[in-house]
Amino acid sequence: MEYDPKHTSTVVLKPFSQSHGVGVARSVSVDLNNDASLLIDIPDALCERDKVKFTVHTKTTLSSFQKPDFSVPRQHEDFIWLHDALVETEDYAGLIIPPAPPKPDFESPREKMHKLGEGEATMTKEEYTKMKQELEAEYLAVFKKTVQVHEVFLQRLSSHPILSKDRNFQIFLEYDQDLSVRRKNAKETFGSFFKNMVKSADEVIISGIKEVDDFFEQEKTFLLDYSSKIKDSTARAEKMTRSHKNVADDYIHISATLNSLSVDDNTALKKFTNVEGRVASDEELKLTELLRYYMLDIQAAKDLLYRRARALADYENSNKALDKARLKSKDITQAEEHQQQCLQKFDKLSESGKRELTSFKGRRVVAFRKNLIEMAELEIKHAKNNMALLQGCIELLKSN
Amino acid sequence: MAAEMEPPPLGDAGQTDFREIEDGEGFFVSTVTTLESPEPSSPDPPSMPAEGISTNGPKQEDISLDDDPEDLFAEATEEVSLDSPEREPILSDGPSPAITPVTPTAMLTPRMGLGTAEMFERSLDEIEEDDSGDTFDMHIAVSDPEKVGDGMNAYMGYKVTTKTSMTIFSKNETTVRRRFSDFLGLHSKLASRYLHIGYIVPPAPEKSIVGMTKVKVGKEDLSSAEFVEKRRSALERYLMRTVKHPILLKDPDVMMFLESSELPRAVSTQALSGAGILRMVNKAADAVNKMTIKMNESDAWFEEKHQQFENLDLQLRKLHASVECLVCHRKELSVNTASFAKSAAMLGNSEDHTALSRALSQLAEVEEKIDQLHQDQAYADFYLFSELLGDYVRLITAVKGVFDHRMKTWSKWQDTQLLLQKKREAESKLQFANKPDKLQQAQDEIKEEIEELEGKVQQGEKDFELISKTIRKEVSRFEKERVKDFKVVIIKYLESLVQTQQQLIKYWEAFLPEAKAIA
């Protein structure tokens, strides 16, 4: 890959499954449902300027699909469309819709590339090459991350008994032409803006409403509290990994300058900087991404609670309306019907909500466990590597 | 102003030295007389022996040893010679301060240099012989910083402990108390004596008005504690580096500094003193001088080395900047890790799944420990690596200064030669003068002047050769020291990194079963 600070370039990344090993990439979310009837992955991605094109590959045994094995190109906006379509579907009000994948963010490496281009004159050739390599590694890391979150989003859907059968989902997977026609136009974007405003009003409702069910009462308290804590943790974990990266970068500069001083053999120090950089990015992948993902997931769970709370509020309003109607002896049947509807909706939401939240907790615990173990193991591995490198370097110096 | 007061000490100190010389060798008696008249036109050298100079206050009070300022060195000689027979020959014909006033005009009067340079050369050889007998075994520790006094007159006193088995020292272990200006005073004395003849005198730690003011005001916080520690460590390194130099080690002022319990206060080191201002003026004059001297470098070695040192300077400065960046970032990392640890603990608290909650709390603890690790590592980064680099950047400045002195010596020599030429021309012109009665007198005068100048030219050449020779030796010693120094420090630094990694492994390995226990 040639990174020219002056021109943007097209980068093709080889199939991620090869570099990760199948199954490892799906780290932040874990499939509790081992159904192999619908398998989705993103084996390939292309980066053009700001746009990332994902290749979504589906393997299925279900008859609802036209082919058993197929791939389509998709953009980030297509994923958002799918997510919003699911959220807007009334039938899924009682489900936790998996959070939409965040937009691919190349801001940080792009900034670094810019700085690198500016500072080229002051660096030695070797330092420049090294920095470029680091930059490429960072681009790659951002890529990995964004592919992972998009993949996980689809896999959550495919493993969900109800959502996997969604029509829009199927279209997303199968439709071999550009989805942009179906995507948000200006009017719809406007509508979603309002929706967000309504949501914040919901937050007031949800905290004010009197909960009839113990389970939901507990969940509500837990989720509200946990949500703010995890947001905090995510932000701090981000800061931490960024500092770590800064330290690793500094080592690059130092080893380059030491080299030109030719005070000692610096290959070990250089390798050390490599490993430090990798520690930082692995840490990020495991810890920060884990927290970030669950922060979003918890938001989705909260959304479910909002919907349910709204349904409850509707139900209570319908009750009041019915009482009023009975008082006025007008439109009683209508009011009764409406009340029945509300009750039904509320019950459905409560039932599926309970199910969803329980499975959500299970999923969360398992995912945390997996990621924390992997992170600890990686830290140990890197530290051992570092130690071996450094000791080798010390031996070399002492023997001279 | 202060400048006017200074010439007398020059004369005094000069006389003292010649007294020594007369005792030992009896050289150049004639030149002594010329020195007795103070020269108001030439400003003093930038760093005069502190004892002889006071700024606006009365000089006498500053001199604790004797009422008679002239006897300073004589006093020192006597005091020291009592202790060991080895020292005597060194001191009597030893490195007397060949004070060379620095002025923009080439017309300097290094009369003293005439006498001392030759003796110096001889004594240099003697000193080298001495070196082979007494191996370097010395350890100096600077410790126990204690605040003395109150308010703006307060200062930090440091304990200086010297442990040695070398015979030139009177005791195996000596402890004295010194303050920062004492160190500066020592350095200024050494610099005035040795720098211009080609010795690389290690620079003293830098002053810091901000840092000291905080300490004086009594601010008992982390930054002032750090400042004191930084300074203490720098002072220790400075002393060690100074005594590692075989010539400097045997300098009487160094010995006095290390051994005598009371040291006269070095006021000329104050930034705003008369001497301080003089220093600044001379520095500016030096800079102008450097630009105007165009030397014909006949020796390729010097050309090469000069270039090498320029490069080294650049690289070291760059490296220093990078390491300072590293220290800064690592401190940031430590802060961020601590804040994450707190947040993770809170997350663990609000987590309702017990095993996960426990694991998260454990994670928080691990991160806290790691934060401490980062802090320690930053400390090591700084004290081992960054300070060493800072020292060397300053050392290289001293090295470049020595090269500049060589240039000056060459330029002086050339100027004297030119002057001689002019005088010879004037002599031949005299033949055609039409004042026959005054002719003989004028001719005699000129002959005398020419003789004198010829002597000076010879001396100038000798000076130049001597300084070149000295510099060669110094540079090779410097290079050896540098490589050794860097190697030692880098190994120590790498070892500190290794330790950090080991700790990391321990912490994460302790955490792993907790993570696995999440059911």
Side-chain angles (χ1 to χ4, degrees), chain B residues 412-475:
Chain B
K412 223 169 39 196
W413 170 33
Q414 295 301 317
D415 287 344
T416 320
Q417 254 185 342
L418 269 165
L419 197 60
L420 177 63
Q421 222 179 342
K422 275 203 209 120
K423 285 290 177 190
R424 289 214 175 110
E425 283 172 15
E427 189 189 31
S428 46
K429 277 210 197 111
L430 264 186
Q431 313 291 359
F432 306 101
N434 39 16
K435 282 204 182 126
D437 48 323
K438 296 239 179 86
L439 183 63
Q440 190 52 44
Q441 190 189 18
Q443 274 184 330
D444 282 341
E445 259 177 43
I446 280 240
K447 258 210 177 54
E448 217 177 281
E449 283 177 359
I450 287 182
E451 242 176 69
E452 200 182 302
L453 280 176
E454 280 176 348
K456 271 211 258 181
V457 167
Q458 257 188 356
Q459 189 55 47
E461 187 171 357
K462 274 213 199 98
D463 282 345
F464 180 69
E465 280 173 14
L466 179 64
I467 196 177
S468 303
K469 180 164 151 197
T470 313
I471 290 183
R472 276 179 198 261
K473 257 195 287 250
E474 283 288 287
V475 164

Side-chain angles (χ1 to χ4, degrees), chain B residues 481-499:
Chain B
E481 277 298 310
R482 172 173 78 93
V483 170
K484 218 167 32 174
D485 244 349
F486 266 79
K487 195 146 138 181
V488 164
V489 166
I490 288 190
I491 289 182
K492 248 199 234 148
Y493 180 67
L494 291 179
E495 284 178 344
S496 83
L497 286 177
V498 167
Q499 247 205 349

Side-chain angles (χ1 to χ4, degrees), chain B residues 21 43 69 76 142 197 217-218 298 315 339 363 407 420 422 514:
Chain B
I21 294 165
V142 174
I197 41 178
V217 167
S298 51
Q315 294 298 331
S339 97
L363 179 67
M407 260 204 328
L420 177 63
K422 275 203 209 120
E514 284 290 332

